[in-house]
Amino acid sequence: MRPGWDEYFLQLARLVASRSTCLRRQVGAVLVKKERIIATGYNGAPRGIRHCLEVGCLRDSMGIPSGHRYELCRGVHAEQNAIINAAYYGVATEGAVLYCTNQPCIICARMIVNAGIVKVVYGEEFEDELAREFLREAGIELVLYKAGGEKI
């Protein structure tokens, strides 16, 4: 059966996540305008910086639990990388939809708001209520999409 757009782009985000170099969580993101991909991103170290796969996880070595102290990480989040990649290649993100394997964190939510993204469709929860509040306050549609087409 032919997948709908949300399912299709979330499947692509999962494939993009397979490029992740994070030892804790593999996340992928796909930015879309008018059903066309404008950029992708996965979580990993910035260009020219050694990846966690090579040097280990800084957050693990410091005993930092998931969801805390985001700034103490070698990696750039998938959502950030998708927005950065669009900017790097001169592609406007205003009016785009972001498909992501996981709900964005508060840092990514702020970037999503300022990038002019109008909708975020994600496949798995990430406990960051502040991020959800920011996205809703900015008028960005937030959709949890489970496999099989169930929208929550």
Side-chain angles (χ1 to χ4, degrees):
M1 186 162 112
R2 185 176 187 205
W5 289 117
D6 287 347
E7 186 175 347
Y8 173 71
F9 289 121
L10 272 176
Q11 286 177 7
L12 291 174
R14 289 183 189 104
L15 180 61
V16 171
S18 69
R19 292 277 306 149
S20 171
T21 59
C22 179
L23 296 171
R24 285 188 170 189
R25 182 188 312 259
Q26 286 67 51
V27 180
V30 177
L31 268 174
V32 174
K33 280 178 93 167
K34 298 179 182 177
E35 284 78 41
R36 299 295 175 257
I37 296 168
I38 61 170
T40 64
Y42 54 85
N43 56 332
R47 288 179 179 98
I49 305 294
R50 292 179 296 155
H51 293 281
C52 298
L53 288 175
E54 301 169 82
V55 298
C57 177
L58 176 63
R59 293 165 54 80
D60 278 348
S61 69
M62 298 175 81
I64 299 169
S66 181
H68 298 275
R69 303 294 312 268
Y70 302 122
E71 76 280 8
L72 296 176
C73 180
R74 297 182 71 78
V76 179
H77 290 188
E79 305 93 321
Q80 295 168 355
N81 270 325
I83 293 167
I84 291 165
N85 285 333
Y88 189 85
Y89 291 104
V91 179
T93 57
E94 184 178 11
V97 175
L98 177 73
Y99 291 88
C100 193
T101 56
N102 296 77
Q103 178 209 304
C105 71
I106 184 59
I107 296 169
C108 292
R110 291 188 299 235
M111 290 182 71
I112 289 165
V113 170
N114 279 352
I117 293 166
V118 297
K119 181 177 177 181
V120 175
V121 179
Y122 62 99
E124 294 180 30
E125 290 283 3
F126 181 74
E127 288 306 315
D128 193 332
E129 184 57 36
L130 185 59
R132 288 189 289 269
E133 288 175 21
F134 267 53
L135 293 168
R136 288 185 188 117
E137 183 179 341
I140 296 170
E141 185 179 355
L142 191 58
V143 177
L144 171 59
Y145 186 95
K146 290 292 189 181
E150 180 185 359
K151 291 183 182 180
I152 299 173

